[in-house]
Amino acid sequence: MQPLQPMRVDWVATPPPGAYPQPSRRSQRLSYGGPPNYPVPPRWGFPLLAWRWPTAVPGTVEQADSVDGVRRLGRTAQNSLWLLGFVALWGASSEIWRYVLVAMSRYGALSAGVVSASDAMVVSASAITITGCLLSLVLTLLWVRRARNVAAAGAGYGPSRSDEQAFAGLIVPGVNLVVPGAVLAELEHAVAHGSPHERPRPSKLLRWWWGFWVASGLMFAVTVLWSFRDSTQALADGVLLHALGDLLMVGVAVTTALVVRRITTLLLPVDAASLRLMRVLEVKDAPEPPLRSVRASGSPR
């Protein structure tokens, strides 16, 4: 009889009931049951209104001297200046045509219709040019005033001349050839965040504008003095002076519009009109989105 072998026993320890906390039902991941279903239309959410500028909302007032105000006023001033340049060019062409007719009249009589058309072109161009000058001057002065205030707030120091002194320097003969250029040079210096202890150095564009401005003012004075002469040759030369004055007016209008655009761009580096809105038209080589193979019970189709 063989001896009994010792029995092999594996001991397994199990924790007593309640030793570990049982997971609650809230922490369990719930299955997707479809989109939310409301018995009545919900009363929360955004109002069904389109986006509007802050000034369109009742009770809100935009600051008078703001960058957006300078940009809008500068755009209006630029449009009037470009129109003034076109009309002044038309006036210069009309004066040159009149001078050609004066030269042709030495060899014979001219047609009454041609002379009347030339007179109508000169008179209409002069009237529109005067109106455009006044409108452009008012808009540009308003733009300069707002731009100076905005530039002073950004640079931390104000201009050396007040608004009254700058306006007086514009209407006083002789002084109005120097003060406007100095005012724009200070404005350009403040917009570029230059040091208040440094002397403003006008840019090349501003120097061109200053040259056209001085030449136009001097030509206006010469034309007024020349009009007191009543000889035939003086009248013919007066036509050329008027044509040259109109061409200088074109230079003043064009360079002023460019200066307004440059300073406005420095105040607002990002122009909203220059931004291109982008949208996604097609996505190539993209993986297919995972689709739900089984619809959850209770979810509406």
Side-chain angles (χ1 to χ4, degrees), residues 236-283:
D237 295 339
V239 175
L240 289 180
L241 290 178
H242 280 88
L244 184 57
D246 290 337
L247 291 178
L248 291 176
M249 180 63 66
V250 174
V252 172
V254 171
T255 52
T256 304
L258 295 178
V259 168
V260 171
R261 185 178 66 178
R262 167 180 165 78
I263 296 179
T264 305
T265 304
L266 292 176
L267 284 174
L268 185 65
V270 179
D271 189 3
S274 63
L275 297 179
R276 296 182 58 186
L277 300 180
M278 303 180 65
R279 59 178 181 175
V280 179
L281 299 179
E282 183 180 1
V283 179

Side-chain angles (χ1 to χ4, degrees), residues 89-110:
L89 184 60
W90 174 30
S93 303
S94 302
E95 294 290 349
I96 294 175
W97 186 25
R98 168 175 281 188
Y99 186 81
V100 172
L101 294 179
V102 170
M104 293 174 59
S105 65
R106 297 174 56 187
Y107 306 100
L110 300 176

Side-chain angles (χ1 to χ4, degrees), residues 58-148:
T60 59
V61 180
E62 182 183 2
Q63 297 180 0
D65 298 330
S66 61
V67 178
D68 291 334
V70 173
R71 178 176 58 85
R72 290 193 295 268
L73 188 56
R75 185 179 303 172
T76 306
Q78 290 179 55
N79 295 334
S80 65
L81 288 168
W82 287 116
L83 181 60
L84 174 62
F86 174 77
V87 175
L89 184 60
W90 174 30
S93 303
S94 302
E95 294 290 349
I96 294 175
W97 186 25
R98 168 175 281 188
Y99 186 81
V100 172
L101 294 179
V102 170
M104 293 174 59
S105 65
R106 297 174 56 187
Y107 306 100
L110 300 176
S111 173
V114 174
V115 175
S116 300
S118 175
D119 293 339
M121 288 183 61
V122 171
V123 172
S124 59
S126 300
I128 299 176
T129 301
I130 294 174
T131 305
C133 285
L134 295 177
L135 179 62
S136 300
L137 181 61
V138 171
L139 292 175
T140 305
L141 288 178
L142 292 176
W143 173 84
V144 170
R145 179 183 176 277
R146 288 193 176 184
R148 292 178 71 195

